[in-house]
Amino acid sequence: MQIGIDTSAPSRVKSDVVIIFANDEGGIAKTVRSFGQGHAAAYRTLHRAKAFTGAVGQLRTSHEGPDARVSSVIFAGVGSADDGNAMRRAAGDAIRAADGLGAASVSVVLPAGPKGRKLPTPMVGALAEGLQLGLYLSLIHISEPTRLESKS
C-alpha cells in the first residue's frame, strides 16, 4: 500500500482512499466536498445525524465507487486538536480500515491544529506513528502463522 501525507490542494489528490481527520471543532465540509459530491452528501448526512462529530474514536466511511477520482473517504475523529494519543489512535484505526478496503493507495489529509492553526509538529509525528503502527498491526493480523520446524 502506498501512503502519502498530502499538502497539495485536495482537488489534485487521486487515491483509492483518502483519510480525513477531524477534531471536535469541525470545519472539514469544504475539504470533503473537494473529493466528490457523493462524499460531501455522505458527510452532511453523518454530521446532521450526529453520527460523526469528530469525537475521539469515531470512524466512518463513504464510498463513491471504483470510477470516482477517490473511491472511498474515511473520516477519523481525533477529538481535541492537540491530543497526540488520540491522533495516534485515529491514524492507526483509519489505516487499518483503508487496508480492510483493499486500498492500493491512501492519501492522508492533515487536520487543522488548535483554533484552526497549522498542525503542530509533535501532532504530525503522532499521526505518522499511528499510521505506521496501524499498518504493522494490520499486517500481523492478516499474515499466516509461521511454523517452526526443528531438525534432529
Side-chain angles (χ1 to χ4, degrees):
M1 175 187 312
Q2 180 180 351
I3 302 171
I5 296 179
D6 243 300
T7 56
S8 63
S11 59
R12 293 183 177 185
V13 173
K14 184 171 178 7
S15 289
D16 295 337
V17 175
V18 169
I19 299 171
I20 300 176
F21 294 94
N23 58 40
D24 51 15
E25 295 175 12
I28 64 167
K30 182 178 177 182
T31 302
V32 174
R33 208 172 24 254
S34 66
F35 293 111
Q37 291 304 313
H39 297 306
Y43 174 72
R44 276 193 307 274
T45 301
L46 290 167
H47 189 68
R48 285 183 190 144
K50 296 191 183 344
F52 183 79
T53 61
V56 173
Q58 288 186 329
L59 196 67
R60 303 290 184 268
T61 307
S62 165
H63 304 284
E64 262 197 17
D67 296 332
R69 179 172 57 92
V70 173
S71 326
S72 300
V73 172
I74 296 172
F75 308 108
V78 297
S80 170
D82 59 357
D83 183 347
N85 289 328
M87 175 64 76
R88 197 173 290 107
R89 177 180 166 201
D93 291 347
I95 200 68
R96 281 193 304 279
D99 188 53
L101 293 171
S105 60
V106 177
S107 290
V108 176
V109 177
L110 293 177
K115 298 180 183 167
R117 296 190 187 111
K118 186 177 171 184
L119 193 65
T121 302
M123 293 293 288
V124 176
L127 186 147
E129 286 174 6
L131 293 173
Q132 188 175 26
L133 289 169
L135 264 180
Y136 177 74
L137 291 173
S138 189
L139 289 172
I140 287 173
H141 180 70
I142 61 173
S143 297
E144 292 291 322
T146 304
R147 177 169 289 175
L148 298 175
E149 296 180 17
S150 63
K151 294 181 181 179
S152 352

